[in-house]
């Protein structure tokens, strides 16, 4: 019933976790989608153990100067996460998500992925390939952040998360 946010480059604890994969704002003028995802996870998580939400952003929006440290943290987070929640509100001007495409292909076959693609985003046609690949691989595909969070919690709940 407790949710703990683990920011980029912080130590990743053991226990149930979800990695919030998807495009990251590159400008302060663009709001991150991740706070809404965290709030939805806080509302949806009812298990007795703490859920660790792995957020590949820095608190306060500070960017890492050592890009390699960021990459290594993200790779470790993707590998160790109990579930990987992809939310891709594609906007080629502000949230292009090019790295997100690679990350999705990197983890799509793990059995712990859910793909959320809102049809009302500025460039939904740019998500067609990922949606088709997800369906081919049996990855759940959703259209709202709430549905995406629900599927991620279902993936985590299917894993034995007893202490």
């Amino acid at each position: 019933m407790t949710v703990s946010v683990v920011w980029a480059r912080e130590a990743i604890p053991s226990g149930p976790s979800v990695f919030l994969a998807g495009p990251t704002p590159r400008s302060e003028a663009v709001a991150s989608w991740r706070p809404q995802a965290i709030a939805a996870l806080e509302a949806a998580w009812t298990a007795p153990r703490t859920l660790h939400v792995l957020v590949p952003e820095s608190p306060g929006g500070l960017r890492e100067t050592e890009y390699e440290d960021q990459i290594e943290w993200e790779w470790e987070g993707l590998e160790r996460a109990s579930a990987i929640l992809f939310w891709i509100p594609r906007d080629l001007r502000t949230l292009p998500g090019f790295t997100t495409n690679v990350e999705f292909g990197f983890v799509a076959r793990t059995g712990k992925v859910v793909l959320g693609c809102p049809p009302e985003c500025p460039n939904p046609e740019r998500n067609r390939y990922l949606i088709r690949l997800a369906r081919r691989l049996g990855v759940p595909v959703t259209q709202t952040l709430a549905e995406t969070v629900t599927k991620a919690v279902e993936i985590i709940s299917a894993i034995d998360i007893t202490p």
Side-chain angles (χ1 to χ4, degrees):
M1 299 191 11
T2 303
V3 171
S4 165
V5 176
V6 181
W7 297 101
R9 298 169 314 282
E10 291 181 348
I12 298 172
S14 59
S17 62
V18 58
F19 189 99
L20 300 184
T24 298
R26 301 291 182 228
S27 159
E28 290 181 16
V30 178
S32 174
W33 57 270
R34 290 184 175 98
Q36 289 115 342
I38 293 166
L41 284 161
E42 288 173 337
W45 185 251
T46 59
R49 293 196 59 202
T50 298
L51 174 66
H52 303 289
V53 182
L54 309 180
V55 179
E57 296 181 24
S58 299
L62 300 174
R63 300 285 311 271
E64 173 59 40
T65 57
E66 297 297 326
Y67 187 59
E68 289 74 20
D69 293 343
Q70 178 74 23
I71 293 169
E72 292 297 327
W73 184 90
E74 289 186 23
W75 288 349
E76 180 182 358
L78 290 166
E79 183 177 307
R80 292 183 53 192
S82 307
I84 304 169
L85 182 158
F86 278 87
W87 181 246
I88 309 176
R90 183 90 61 193
D91 184 333
L92 293 181
R93 291 179 311 102
T94 61
L95 291 171
F98 299 132
T99 302
T100 298
N101 294 342
V102 175
E103 288 175 336
F104 182 80
F106 186 63
V107 299
R109 293 182 186 265
T110 63
K112 59 183 184 178
V113 174
V114 57
L115 175 64
C117 298
E120 73 283 352
C121 69
N123 298 111
E125 74 281 0
R126 299 298 182 171
N127 286 332
R128 288 181 304 187
Y129 185 92
L130 295 180
I131 292 168
R132 184 159 183 150
L133 178 60
R135 289 189 173 131
R136 180 179 183 132
L137 299 176
V139 171
V141 178
T142 60
Q143 295 187 341
T144 69
L145 187 54
E147 292 172 322
T148 311
V149 164
T150 297
K151 286 290 184 190
V153 169
E154 288 174 6
I155 291 168
I156 298 165
S157 297
I159 301 168
D160 180 17
I161 58 170
T162 55

